[in-house]
Amino acid sequence: MNTEIRTRGFVDDSHLPAHLHPVIKQIYATRGVLDASELDNSAKTLLDFKLFKDIDKASDILIDMLGKKANVLIVGDFDADGATSTAVLMEGLPQFGFTQVDYLVPDRFSLGYGLSPALAEQIVQLKPDLVITVDNGISCVAGIDIVKQAGITVIVTDHHLQGSQLPNADAIVNPNRHDCTFPSKSIAGVGVAFYLLIALRNALREKGHFTTHPQPNLAALLDIVALGTVADVVALDANNRTLVHQGLARIRSGNTRPGIQALIEVANRNAARLSASDFGFSLAPRLNAAGRLDDMSLGIACLLAKDTNQARRIAGELDGLNHERREIEQGMQQEAQAVLERLVLNSKSVPDAVCLYQDDWHQGVIGILAGRLKEKYHRPAVIFAQGDNGEIKGSCRSIEGLHMRDLLEQLNTQQPDLILKFGGHAMAAGLTILEANFAQFKQAFEYGVSELLSEEHKQSVLLTDGALPAECFSMDFAQLLQQAGPWGQHFAEPIFCGEFELVQQRIVGEKHLKLVLKHPSGKLVDAIAFNVDVRAWPNNQAQLAQVAYQLDINEFRGKFSLQLIVREISAITA
């Protein structure tokens, strides 16, 4: 799939502070920063918890349960957001004096997502006084009904989109319920759980509770909140950037928990220089591997570990699972690639949508595979794996211009018996259908995508921040860029582009391209392109190349050097 490199247009940045470097000012302006206050990542800038619908109701329930010394059960989810959300409440509630707090995470292979009816039956047997869902619940109408009928109080904390019916919970804290005015609709599940603790602390403070009890230090939970926020690939709006910035600051200063420190070590990262992208590409995959291949309880145990040696042992297990996940994924990717290449050869063009199913594919890895194929072909993708009782489970990833959950809702309306259940966001969703209906779903899905996607949407485009002035090829400017973040979803890390002379080029690690590039100013700089098509490189005939890149600081054996991370490269031939 050819990617078109485009440069962002100039945006007036006069409203931003004059002391900022002019390149960074323009970067902020093109990412929609309208006011200098959006660049203040201090904790005091966090949005007011009172803007959440039902959060006062949820606080009152928790205070009542605290007085009754209630048995509290947290119902989590099997991804990194679900694991961090669970850990936040498992760590946070005991600080208020709750003495009976436990958690339950559904097995993704036998129970599926969220508080399902099958999981509800297990919960009823456990007889908790209070159930709190984290990162799930908004679509769990039937399961919550079962729990409520058993006389158990239920608080839902979630961030997924509301369906046509709200569950019958005692309180529902979710920015995406239709009647909630909390401005940050992109907050992750872990952020919602954290806000619930903030609201509880405020309510107890107003009652004078902390005159006789120690006040919880909720800031100590921000390392978990930051990890879960980035891991769930939610848009980094100003509020989410503050949560991530604060968490990163704690980790960099050495104030993190043993579990996160152990994940940093096993991923060979430097805690003092940790970035948001390290969360996404190094820590989150290891945490997610537990829920994908085994039991997310292992990931939660890592986050909750109090002992360094115990944390390192669990992080080592997670690292092993992540290696196993990679091997499974690579095999599945090769099989899917072969199918797609046949399709492309037959149609002479990339199909508008990717919809594949194979009965031996691993349920825990289909989401990653869907994402990889979406990135490679720049098309919405849904990948299915076998479930139970004649059902198959699908994981969907979308591109800009197509709201995946809305499309599934549209298909469900048009053909009510086709989809058994579904849920998710604009860019990612999950669903279950009958195996016998795969061909019917594939046809409906592909038609629906074709109707909604324009030719412009189907063009893969890499937006860059233009050419970088020669004086910015320095360690000082690279550090300024890192400090200007955190960068992430919808607040893209700066990418620059320009023409370079190819001085040296060689393949390393069988699939990476190591380069020495010469800038038109004469400056030499090292560069690396990860996962290149080795059939196309090294191109020893090329002397010039158009390069889109990120400015990076490489650390090797304690030494630091400037390096370009190549995002796109194309040889310029005479």
Side-chain angles (χ1 to χ4, degrees), residues 140-205:
C140 303
V141 176
I144 288 173
D145 277 346
I146 293 170
V147 174
K148 285 292 296 168
Q149 285 161 14
I152 299 167
T153 304
V154 178
I155 296 173
V156 167
T157 73
D158 200 353
H159 69 129
H160 292 92
L161 299 175
Q162 176 189 334
S164 58
Q165 180 185 354
L166 284 173
N168 178 33
D170 296 274
I172 301 172
V173 185
N174 181 340
N176 286 305
R177 59 181 288 180
H178 299 159
D179 55 357
C180 183
T181 59
F182 190 76
S184 178
K185 303 302 181 185
S186 61
I187 191 169
V190 68
V192 180
F194 181 67
Y195 264 92
L196 177 61
L197 295 178
I198 292 174
L200 175 60
R201 184 177 63 181
N202 185 76
L204 287 170
R205 190 184 285 152

Side-chain angles (χ1 to χ4, degrees), residues 451-473:
E451 288 291 293
L452 292 169
L453 276 189
S454 67
E455 289 304 313
E456 175 70 13
H457 288 139
K458 287 186 277 187
Q459 174 61 49
S460 176
V461 174
L462 181 66
L463 278 178
T464 78
D465 296 282
L468 189 63
E471 64 271 17
C472 292
F473 284 84

Side-chain angles (χ1 to χ4, degrees), residues 14 21 33 37 119 125 127 202 205 215 231 233 241 270 282 319 344 349 354 359 380 419 427 494 502 507 546 549:
S14 59
H21 189 287
V33 176
S37 64
L119 187 67
Q125 295 302 312
K127 298 180 180 177
N202 185 76
R205 190 184 285 152
Q215 183 162 284
V233 203
R241 290 201 301 277
N270 182 340
S282 299
D319 189 51
V344 171
S349 64
V354 175
D359 60 11
I419 301 175
M427 303 306 287
L502 293 167
I507 296 292
Q546 183 73 19
Y549 60 90

Side-chain angles (χ1 to χ4, degrees), residues 468-470 473 499-501 517-525 549:
L468 189 63
F473 284 84
E499 200 173 288
F500 291 83
E501 183 182 337
L517 302 176
K518 182 187 279 189
H519 188 266
S521 67
K523 285 188 177 181
L524 294 176
V525 62
Y549 60 90

Side-chain angles (χ1 to χ4, degrees), residues 51-115:
L51 296 171
F52 270 109
K53 177 81 173 174
D54 270 11
I55 205 162
D56 52 347
K57 199 185 293 185
S59 300
D60 290 342
I61 291 169
L62 284 169
I63 291 170
D64 180 54
M65 292 290 172
L66 180 62
K68 293 177 178 175
K69 300 189 180 340
N71 184 338
V72 181
L73 182 67
I74 300 156
V75 177
D77 184 27
F78 40 66
D79 68 358
D81 189 16
T84 51
S85 303
T86 302
V88 158
L89 292 190
M90 285 295 296
E91 290 276 274
L93 289 176
Q95 290 188 41
F96 289 91
F98 285 91
T99 56
Q100 298 182 79
V101 185
D102 205 352
Y103 69 90
L104 191 60
V105 177
D107 179 89
R108 81 188 299 152
F109 309 108
S110 60
L111 293 171
Y113 167 80
L115 207 168

Side-chain angles (χ1 to χ4, degrees), residues 213-226:
H213 298 81
Q215 183 162 284
N217 176 21
L218 299 183
L221 301 171
L222 282 164
D223 54 350
I224 310 179
V225 176

